[in-house]
Amino acid sequence: MNFSGKVAIVTGGANGIGKEVVRGIVEGRLPGIFLGVITTLMGGVAAIVAVKLSGGNGVAGAAISSTAASAIATPAALSAVDASFKAIEATATTKITASVIVTAILTPILTAYIAKRVQQKEKNAA
């Protein structure tokens, strides 16, 4: 995919942390963004179901649906152990970085949504 000539507005993206967030998403490109969305949805659903099966209301499961930031180091760790991964290390790192950023954005949204649904169900049951 070619994003040349495309424009995105990111509040706070001119410097500091915001600039690094934008850089991470841009470098990860669309596959990294999709990876973040899929991770949040698939991980979130599995975690919500697991929490509900154990007697909870699912909110804690939604809250843990993000990939860990430590995942960014995984490609470098793999290539340090097995040199055959060196060729894909940079690409994999940018994809994972974008995924971590996307899940960090989506996880609070998912958690708030699940919490609101739980509160509504509890209110209706009362």
Side-chain angles (χ1 to χ4, degrees), residues 28-109:
R29 301 170 67 123
L30 206 51
I33 293 168
F34 284 146
L35 178 60
V37 171
I38 290 167
T39 299
T40 301
L41 295 178
M42 298 296 288
V45 168
I48 291 165
V49 169
V51 170
K52 285 186 172 189
L53 289 174
S54 66
N57 60 18
V59 175
I64 63 167
S65 63
S66 176
T67 55
S70 62
I72 295 169
T74 302
L78 282 173
S79 66
V81 174
D82 185 344
S84 66
F85 287 101
K86 193 68 176 167
I88 63 166
E89 179 184 336
T91 301
T93 300
T94 58
K95 302 289 186 268
I96 293 170
T97 300
S99 173
V100 168
I101 292 167
V102 170
T103 59
I105 293 166
L106 292 179
T107 296
I109 295 168

